[in-house]
Amino acid sequence: DIVMTQTPLSLSVTPGQPASISCKSSQSLLHSDGKTYLYWYLQKPGQPPQLLIYEVSNRFSGVPDRFSGSGSGTDFTLKISRVEAEDVGVYYCMQSIQLPQYTFGQGTKLEIK
Amino acid sequence: QVTLKESGPVLVKPTETLTLTCTVSGFSLSNARMGVSWIRQPPGKALEWLAHIFSNDEKSYSTSLKSRLTISKDTSKSQVVLTMTNMDPVDTATYYCARILGGSYCPGCFDYWGQGTLVTVSS
């Protein structure tokens, strides 16, 4: 199975400052169809996860443009340009290239200073 | 408005079989571009995908739990059912159902989730 490793596991950010989360996969997530199946989810406290980014860099409907995703192959990054209080929660990366096994990272907890 | 709602027991005993139901609304389980997955989350831990089912009855299971899981659907009732046999305390978790997209837009995306149901395994 593909292992997804996130760093850091936690970060504390001042509102208005940027934040960055790394996700590394144990195998390339580039599919033969040319797409890279890497997703980012945010789980706010007491809520189910919500989709932020799909296929590395595509923001899902309604996701603010302060969220951006980048990367290729096995190395990926989620960036928040200016953190807001509502961004607190746990961020997960997920792969779906190795179907039918969807694998999540261990999560990165974002707190506000 | 798309909604998913999980239901089932809050407490099961070790070795028992867990049966969870996901009732959906706002979309049809016969929609060719959509399916439903089950995902769980032990307290304070990460998410773990369990199984999914699509409109054509295509089913897939986590390789580590495949022998214990069965997923099925009743399209007329808009329900997806997951059974997990031989429950153990380590299976204590919040169990979520989520809609999964299977078309050309956002394939593999879990775009709508239920609120989850906490299942505790204890004697």
Side-chain angles (χ1 to χ4, degrees), chain B residues 90-111:
Chain B
V90 300
D91 297 312
T92 293
T94 296
Y95 287 76
Y96 296 99
C97 60
R99 188 176 77 168
I100 181 169
L101 300 179
S104 59
Y105 171 71
C106 209
C109 292
F110 301 119
D111 64 339

Side-chain angles (χ1 to χ4, degrees), chain B residues 8 66 113:
Chain B
K66 185 174 185 176
W113 296 63

Side-chain angles (χ1 to χ4, degrees), chain B residues 108-123:
Chain B
C109 292
F110 301 119
D111 64 339
Y112 286 92
W113 296 63
Q115 287 299 307
T117 185
L118 176 61
V119 178
T120 300
V121 184
S122 174
S123 55

